[in-house]
Amino acid sequence: MTQAESRVLCPALRNRIMSADAAAALIHKGDNVGMSGFTGAGYPKAVPQALARRIQQANADGDRFKVGIWTGASTAPELDGALASVAGVEMRLPYQSDPVCRQRINAGEMEYIDIHLSHVAQFVWFGFLGHLDVAVVEVTGITEDGRLIPSTSIGNNKTWLDEADKIILEVNSAQDMNLLGMHDIYYGTQRPPLRKPIPLVAPGDRIGEPTFRVDLDKIVAIVETHAGDRNTQFSAPDENSRRIAGHILDFLQQEVKKGRLPPELLPLQSGVGNIANAVMAGLADGPFENLTAYTEVLQDGMLELLKNGKLQFASATAVSLSTEALAEFRGNLPFYRERILLRPQEISNHPEVIRRLGIIAMNGMIEADIYGNVNSTHVMGSQIMNGIGGSGDFARNAYLSMFMTPSTAKGGTISCIVPMVPHVDHTEHDVQVVVTEQGLADLRGLSPKQRAETIIERCAHPDFKPALRDYYRRALKGSPGQHTPHLLDEAFSWHIRALAGRGM
């Protein structure tokens, strides 16, 4: 790339442009490295692969080389997959979705901290996670005065840039310069006891700056790249997803009729995946107008709602789209720039703001038990899937907290409604609504026994409903306590049978 084409416009930084291999050589064994990236958007593409090559060579030479990798959320094969494949990660946090990474964590070969996404930045500020040595952050460009133009995600980038000793930047010319103005970087957070209220009272409020501040003296390398984000391909909603979406839309209409929600609802938060997109598709065809969103990741469904005018504004920390939706987004960036703000995840997921705005939170889960406890992270109690992400930030603080899943898994052989979940991410105190394709259970104002009866009758699959009824009926007779009746010698028997290959 010639100097005339370069997006490194700050004269003082041009002599720090180098290859990815040269930049990776500045990362040392044992370093904690904060990398950009949130749900496959805005992650560095070249330096992690160069670092993986360096680690592979070091390990071949008998020099065990590992680093800590901190991100905003999940990234892509070029980052998580590359480093996990060469056994280069000592500690990973706070969220991942890479299959190689997952395999190493579950094999005990990589340490992993699953943490609420709103906690990551402040845990670094407080020193709870150790020292951050290096930041590797993708940006769209660098201005003449040294400000950094963010790319398709913010995540924890502000914190990485502020806290790291050394900064390596990837300036990615594949990111559109029209992104400038879509970001809102808030610099008003402080540590206790000096904290002040975050001045955000509506999803569209701009409270920060469009670019990152950075100490130019900390920038040790700049790598110029041209590579796209990992595009998330969504399958068309299946029958179960459509039915789940239908139950939620019917419920929201009833809440409006009862006067518990305004006609335009309240700001929406939606987790990632096909069910979430099916709900968004249902909203596109539904009766609600003038919607807003305050969420983590903007995906295809919300983009379509913005396009057709149903959604007026969306606040998030990343844009993660399919190939087709990305083409729409890039082709109409001036339009979307007026309707989307990307914020640091300590703001997009901040409990204070979530509670103030009165969010309607809709997140996926792996399973729920009959009392409303939700497992969203672990398969069979001990194997991590991805992580809690931001669902806990929203569940505890939302005006409405909903969790969604098909009622069965593994071709109908496993029930997603069980007597007791073997791992709890969201307790019964934070779960207000459980939804499967079978129906919706509104748990607000119900005692534990009332919740059990409601979940079994409305959410369980017919193939498993008799066994759940039988368990609950016997628990009412045999449990030593009658507030939350359980048979402790049977509570996990469904999972034990599944692990033994006998189904549930």
Side-chain angles (χ1 to χ4, degrees), residues 248-257 260-269 279-280 282-283 286-293 305 310-311 357-360 362 399-400 402:
I248 291 174
L249 293 171
D250 289 344
F251 170 72
L252 293 176
Q253 289 183 69
Q254 289 301 314
E255 290 295 290
V256 171
K257 289 179 180 179
R260 296 197 288 230
L261 284 174
E264 68 277 13
L265 304 181
L266 290 166
L268 305 172
Q269 179 265 333
V279 173
M280 294 302 111
L283 286 168
F288 305 111
E289 304 285 344
N290 300 313
L291 299 169
T292 59
L305 287 173
K310 288 273 190 173
L311 185 65
L357 297 182
I359 303 299
I360 298 173
M362 298 172 283
Y399 178 83
L400 272 176
M402 293 186 257

Side-chain angles (χ1 to χ4, degrees), residues 1 10 145 160 193-194 256 267 270 309 352 359 401 422 447 485:
M1 183 176 293
C10 179
D145 60 353
W160 301 162
L194 301 177
V256 171
S270 176
E352 173 194 335
I359 303 299
S401 172
S447 70

Side-chain angles (χ1 to χ4, degrees), residues 386-410:
N386 298 328
I388 193 170
S391 57
D393 297 323
F394 285 91
R396 174 155 293 187
N397 299 287
Y399 178 83
L400 272 176
S401 172
M402 293 186 257
F403 283 90
M404 314 169 289
T405 183
S407 63
T408 63
K410 299 294 184 182

Side-chain angles (χ1 to χ4, degrees), residues 467-485:
L468 287 166
R469 288 171 177 155
D470 177 68
Y471 173 86
Y472 177 64
R473 184 167 53 250
R474 289 185 296 110
L476 286 172
K477 295 179 180 179
S479 174
Q482 288 299 300
H483 177 63
T484 308

Side-chain angles (χ1 to χ4, degrees), residues 420-431:
M420 182 186 288
V421 289
H423 178 91
V424 181
D425 292 292
H426 313 282
T427 74
E428 60 188 278
H429 311 292
D430 299 334
V431 179

